[in-house]
Amino acid sequence: MRVSLMALVLLATACSSDEKGPGRESGPPATVTVVTVAPESWSDRIQAIGTAKARESVVIAAKQSERIAAVRFESGQRVAKGQVLVELDAGTVKAELAEAQANLNDLNAQVTRLQNLQSRQLVAKGQLDTVIASRNAARARAQAAQERLNDRIIRAPFAGVLGLRQVSQGQFVSAGAIMVNLDDLDHLWVDFPVPEGLLSQLKTGMALELQADAAPGQALSAQVVGIDSRVDIATRAIMVRAAIDNAGGLVRPGMLMRVSLQQDAVQALVIPELAVQQVGNRTFVFVAGADGVATSRNVRVGSRHDGKVEVIEGLKTGEKVVLDGTSKLRDGQKLKVVPAAP
């Protein structure tokens, strides 16, 4: 009797397994949304963090140790190229220049007089040559005095915007003392690192998009204008430089910039990122077969952005990928398919 009872139990179990079929899940169908895999225009984006720099930027400093006679600018002022910013006391130099110029004028007159006499052979040529040499030396001294005077008048080397004023009228400054910073804010550079593995994808002229944390939601267009000649051995990254037109004054030197560098568009299989599952080292999606059964499929994905992901391997055009409800799906489970809204 016991043997007969065990045989009946085994037979019932086998029949139950046959009714389910291999790899089939019992229970009602799972209602899921699917999307059809299709190629579309896709461009990879390289994300990086950069720093804004003025294309022209200098520290205005004193060339001579002297008292400041006049300060002719204010903090934050926009100045033109050659505009006078600071005048140092130049009383002594002006006197030296006047003396040198008077001496030069006297020697010029002597040269003219001796040239007339020498043309009539009334004086020796050697005497004329001596006066000419003295005149040339006097001219050099006058030029040197003029240069010393120019050094006491500090001008803007290019058009731009001044920073905070660091000096005052009447203050004594030493040579090299910082007076103010000057930056060209209309034209900026953004330097940012890119991993060496992406070097082959970089080229000058590439378009990119910039965004500053200080101005959320406002994107700036830029263009790659330079790629460094070497890779940093510590970070294994190469520095890339982009130029931006900052006529609106949105960006300031030193600001952190989020860089999105977009490559040329290609045709690729793209699906919503929500459909991709990651369990351990396995990346997969659920595919809704023609028989209405779910099958997990390993995939290899590429870049991601805007809620979508590029599928490099594992899917074909026309296949239907389950978009939602994937967390409760199992291989072989029956599906009630609802197309995704356009």
Side-chain angles (χ1 to χ4, degrees):
M1 289 294 292
R2 289 181 180 178
V3 173
S4 301
L5 182 60
M6 290 178 64
L8 288 174
V9 171
L10 291 173
L11 180 61
T13 303
C15 292
S16 176
S17 298
D18 290 342
E19 288 175 359
K20 289 182 181 180
R24 302 287 174 170
E25 291 282 346
S26 62
T31 301
V32 296
T33 303
V34 300
V35 292
T36 302
V37 179
E40 64 179 76
S41 180
W42 182 260
S43 59
D44 287 342
R45 292 182 180 178
I46 300 174
Q47 306 289 337
I49 299 296
T51 302
K53 298 180 179 181
R55 189 161 65 179
E56 302 291 347
S57 178
V58 296
V59 174
I60 304 298
K63 292 183 179 181
Q64 305 287 335
S65 297
E66 192 55 82
R67 184 183 62 84
I68 295 177
V71 178
R72 303 197 180 279
F73 71 90
E74 294 298 333
S75 299
Q77 180 181 342
R78 182 175 288 273
V79 295
K81 180 179 180 179
Q83 183 172 331
V84 176
L85 303 178
V86 176
E87 293 181 16
L88 301 178
D89 184 76
T92 303
V93 179
K94 286 180 179 179
E96 292 174 356
L97 177 60
E99 180 183 2
Q101 191 63 51
N103 188 34
L104 176 61
N105 293 338
D106 178 60
L107 288 170
N108 279 333
Q110 291 186 41
V111 168
T112 301
R113 184 172 65 255
L114 289 175
Q115 283 175 337
N116 291 332
L117 293 175
Q118 206 276 331
S119 64
R120 291 179 287 169
Q121 297 184 353
L122 297 178
V123 295
K125 187 176 184 303
Q127 185 178 353
L128 174 60
D129 292 341
T130 300
V131 176
I132 290 176
S134 299
R135 188 269 312 271
N136 293 341
R139 179 183 293 145
R141 287 192 293 271
Q143 290 174 348
Q146 183 64 58
E147 289 298 322
R148 289 196 297 274
L149 180 60
N150 293 341
D151 287 344
R152 283 161 171 76
I153 301 175
I154 300 172
R155 303 176 183 271
F158 53 84
V161 178
L162 296 170
L164 299 179
R165 192 176 77 175
Q166 304 294 331
V167 293
S168 301
Q169 184 173 340
Q171 177 182 347
F172 183 89
V173 292
S174 301
I178 296 175
M179 297 181 174
V180 68
N181 296 327
L182 175 62
D183 296 298
D184 178 6
L185 299 185
D186 292 338
H187 305 91
L188 297 181
W189 282 327
V190 175
D191 291 352
F192 58 95
V194 173
E196 64 177 348
L198 301 175
L199 179 58
S200 62
Q201 303 176 33
L202 298 174
K203 60 182 179 181
T204 56
M206 291 181 70
L208 53 84
E209 189 177 90
L210 304 174
Q211 193 168 35
D213 287 351
Q218 299 189 48
L220 291 172
S221 297
Q223 191 175 54
V224 175
V225 295
I227 301 171
D228 203 355
S229 60
R230 61 182 63 185
V231 173
D232 190 311
I233 60 174
T235 62
R236 292 301 174 189
I238 190 167
M239 293 301 296
V240 180
R241 173 168 289 174
I244 60 174
D245 186 352
N246 191 44
L250 179 65
V251 181
R252 293 295 180 101
M255 286 178 61
L256 181 143
M257 305 295 295
R258 301 189 182 276
V259 182
S260 177
L261 193 150
Q262 188 166 337
Q263 299 176 273
D264 295 336
V266 296
Q267 291 296 308
L269 296 181
V270 179
I271 61 174
E273 194 172 7
L274 186 63
V276 180
Q277 303 297 308
Q278 185 76 43
V279 178
N281 294 327
R282 187 188 179 205
T283 303
F284 64 96
V285 298
F286 279 100
V287 178
D291 57 356
V293 175
T295 303
S296 64
R297 181 87 57 80
N298 291 341
V299 294
R300 186 162 67 93
V301 299
S303 58
R304 307 172 185 236
H305 56 77
D306 299 333
K308 295 184 177 181
V309 59
E310 176 191 15
V311 179
I312 300 174
E313 289 181 2
L315 291 176
K316 297 179 180 179
T317 300
E319 290 187 307
K320 298 185 183 298
V321 174
V322 178
L323 180 60
D324 58 4
T326 55
S327 61
K328 298 180 180 180
L329 283 183
R330 299 293 182 270
D331 277 315
Q333 187 170 357
K334 281 286 189 178
L335 301 175
K336 180 181 180 181
V337 174
V338 179

